[in-house]
Amino acid sequence: MSAQPDHTPAPAAPYAPAPGAPAELLAQLRADRRAERWVPAFEREWAAALEESRRTFSLAPLYEVVQDWQGRLAHAPAVDAFAASGYDDSEAIDMAELRGRRR
């Protein structure tokens, strides 16, 4: 007799936002000072995720869009504070340039 389980546990369910989360998120985006750029970007990503969900019968693409935009909103104050701090990041490594050298 083995001490190992005889079945594979089910993978953890992905984060599932509340049913009203996309509408609440869109309202928050519209109220943000970046609304002019962010609302159209969210709507494009949401439309693409909706089409992917229809094609695959999966809600995962929609969940990912909500999670990504919730993260952007949550981190926006820290990004603003960093930008306003006047920190000189001109010595930072340009990762796109670095990737280009490898090719």
Side-chain angles (χ1 to χ4, degrees):
M1 189 158 136
S2 171
Q4 299 296 322
D6 61 351
H7 67 282
T8 304
Y15 161 77
E24 291 172 18
L25 181 58
L26 187 55
Q28 290 174 334
L29 290 171
R30 286 183 174 141
D32 193 274
R33 68 178 180 81
R34 301 165 191 83
E36 188 175 305
R37 291 179 321 231
W38 280 13
V39 169
F42 171 80
E43 289 173 339
R44 278 190 306 273
E45 289 182 29
W46 183 258
L50 189 57
E51 186 57 38
E52 178 70 12
S53 290
R54 287 180 180 143
R55 192 178 63 72
T56 63
F57 299 99
S58 171
L59 295 175
L62 298 171
Y63 293 170
E64 289 172 13
V65 170
V66 170
Q67 284 179 320
D68 287 348
W69 281 96
Q70 285 173 334
R72 287 177 186 152
L73 273 175
H75 292 93
V79 172
D80 290 342
F82 176 79
S85 73
Y87 179 79
D88 179 15
D89 66 348
S90 62
E91 297 295 319
I93 297 172
D94 182 353
M95 294 305 293
E97 181 181 325
L98 185 61
R99 283 188 211 102
R101 289 184 200 166
R102 291 184 192 164
R103 292 180 188 178

